Amino acid sequence: MTYLKPPFPLSKSPSFQHFSIPNQLYNSQQLSNSEILRLLKLSVQHSDAELIKAIHASIVKSEEGIRLWNCRISSYVALGNLDYGEKVFNSIPDTDVVSFTALISGFAKSRKENDAVKLFFHMRDSGIEPNGYTFVALLTACMRTGDLELGSQVHAFVVKTGYLACTYVANALMGLYSECDCLDFVTNLFDDMPYRDVASWNTAVSSLVKCGFCDRAFELFHNMLTVEGCVYDYFTLSSCCKCEVFLCEKRLGNSCTCT
């Protein structure tokens, strides 16, 4: 099989002074994996990149070593320190799909879409298969650049690998097609989904509103509440409000024309 080919060449954080860092970080006693994971989660919650750096020396090769490396990448990415995340990635002896996905996602969300695409193809060249979250990260990059051609190729790859049944992957595809004003693709994906969450409904409703099909948008919103009993959120209400404004402007325009 011929795999996808890219269409183009492809601040200092607040101190964690309020938290007592275990003495193990400063002596020879090794932290347990659970302690390291807990500290990494706390560092993200408190936006403290210095804590992540402090526990770097505590991560050693073990059966769970790759998990700790990946958590460090995800923590740096979550704090917006993409450069540090990339350095950690380049230091991992044996990267896996989670390592690649974390960095691809970071690139896609940091206006480095080309780097995200290049890293995806590097992952494929390394013989590592993508998972659903990898596809979401790559589709995010396509969405931000409006690259419908690459996004369509990713869609075909998603179908081939069986990830289209994953709600979050289908949602990402719908988001891409909505961004590119491909309403038919959005509605077809939506209709074929085995399970829909509120993000699925929001994307379908907002796509209809964006293309001026307000009656269909309200009908879909009604089905969301009455047929599937899905709970709406403020994104849903925002789309409905936009739809109502559009209809009011349309009625006002027709009234002015008649007079």
Side-chain angles (χ1 to χ4, degrees), residues 13 40-49 52 70-86 101-103 105-107 109-110:
S13 301
L40 286 171
K41 290 179 181 179
L42 285 171
S43 69
V44 174
Q45 291 173 6
H46 296 279
S47 300
D48 193 338
I52 308 176
N70 291 340
C71 284
R72 283 196 67 213
I73 297 174
S74 298
S75 298
Y76 278 129
V77 168
L79 294 177
N81 292 318
L82 195 58
D83 289 342
Y84 283 109
E86 191 171 2
T101 298
L103 195 55
S105 179
F107 282 144
K109 295 176 181 178
S110 303

Side-chain angles (χ1 to χ4, degrees), residues 11-12 16 25 76 91 95 109-110 127 140 145 157 159-160 175 184 190 212 223 233 239 254:
S11 70
K12 185 177 180 182
F16 209 95
L25 288 176
Y76 278 129
S91 301
T95 50
K109 295 176 181 178
S110 303
T140 299
T145 57
F157 199 9
V159 173
K160 178 179 175 59
D184 288 342
F190 180 82
N223 291 340
D233 60 15
S239 294
N254 291 338

Side-chain angles (χ1 to χ4, degrees), residues 72-236:
R72 283 196 67 213
I73 297 174
S74 298
S75 298
Y76 278 129
V77 168
L79 294 177
N81 292 318
L82 195 58
D83 289 342
Y84 283 109
E86 191 171 2
K87 289 178 181 178
V88 173
F89 177 87
N90 292 329
S91 301
I92 301 177
D94 296 302
T95 50
D96 62 8
V97 65
V98 179
S99 319
F100 276 98
T101 298
L103 195 55
I104 290 171
S105 179
F107 282 144
K109 295 176 181 178
S110 303
R111 300 184 182 278
K112 293 186 175 182
E113 296 86 358
N114 286 9
D115 290 333
V117 174
K118 287 194 294 184
L119 187 59
F120 174 80
F121 286 106
H122 173 54
M123 182 189 77
R124 296 291 297 119
D125 290 339
S126 301
I128 297 175
E129 295 295 330
N131 61 23
Y133 297 105
T134 318
F135 283 125
V136 171
L138 183 60
L139 287 166
T140 299
C142 295
M143 190 185 313
R144 288 174 177 259
T145 57
D147 193 338
L148 182 59
E149 181 180 354
L150 179 59
S152 298
Q153 294 181 61
V154 176
H155 186 173
F157 199 9
V158 166
V159 173
K160 178 179 175 59
T161 51
Y163 282 101
L164 190 58
C166 296
T167 301
Y168 52 90
V169 176
N171 288 344
L173 280 167
M174 289 169 60
L176 168 67
Y177 288 126
S178 177
E179 185 69 23
C180 297
D181 296 327
C182 299
L183 181 61
D184 288 342
F185 285 97
V186 175
T187 56
N188 288 340
L189 280 166
F190 180 82
D191 290 340
D192 291 340
M193 291 178 72
Y195 173 77
R196 308 180 185 100
D197 60 12
V198 66
S200 315
W201 289 93
N202 284 346
T203 303
V205 171
S206 64
S207 298
L208 288 168
V209 174
K210 182 181 178 182
C211 294
F213 295 101
C214 293
D215 291 337
R216 288 176 61 187
F218 276 126
E219 180 182 355
L220 198 62
F221 176 60
H222 179 267
N223 291 340
M224 172 185 177
L225 300 179
T226 60
V227 177
E228 297 208 9
C230 187
V231 179
Y232 61 83
D233 60 15
Y234 62 92
F235 285 111
T236 325

Side-chain angles (χ1 to χ4, degrees), residues 25-44:
L25 288 176
Y26 303 107
N27 58 37
S28 59
Q29 185 175 355
Q30 178 61 39
L31 285 171
S32 69
N33 287 341
S34 61
E35 288 175 319
I36 293 174
L37 292 173
R38 183 173 65 87
L39 288 173
L40 286 171
K41 290 179 181 179
L42 285 171
S43 69
V44 174

